[in-house]
Amino acid sequence: MIENLTVREREILKYCSWPTEKIAEKMKIKKTTISKHFQNIFEKTKTQTRAELLVFALKNELLTISEVIKNEL
């Protein structure tokens, strides 16, 4: 499951608590591309929302609380 995530998907996962527009701006890619990546991430992680995805990422040590807080600042 986790190993199926691409490098780009892992990068987007770091910002899963951000609005799509902000992620797109940060990564310099289209909002529609971000949305497509999230759909792939949801399928691969068997999650349905960004909140579930955030919990999944924390439980599987793909993100730490510190990273989430740092990304919010």
Side-chain angles (χ1 to χ4, degrees), residues 19-32:
T20 301
E21 298 81 27
K22 190 173 175 185
I23 299 170
E25 188 177 301
K26 168 89 174 163
M27 298 182 72
K28 298 179 177 26
I29 55 179
K30 295 178 184 177
K31 291 188 298 184
T32 54

Side-chain angles (χ1 to χ4, degrees), residues 57-68:
L58 291 168
K59 281 184 176 179
N60 289 280
E61 299 178 352
L62 297 173
L63 279 176
T64 65
I65 293 290
S66 298
E67 289 173 312
V68 173

Side-chain angles (χ1 to χ4, degrees), residues 33-45:
T33 303
I34 297 292
S35 296
K36 288 177 187 176
H37 279 299
F38 270 117
Q39 287 307 312
N40 291 337
I41 295 167
F42 290 149
E43 284 180 32
K44 291 177 180 181
T45 60

Side-chain angles (χ1 to χ4, degrees), residues 16 42 47-57:
C16 68
F42 290 149
T47 58
Q48 296 180 349
T49 66
R50 290 195 192 188
E52 287 178 6
L53 183 58
L54 182 58
V55 170
F56 174 89

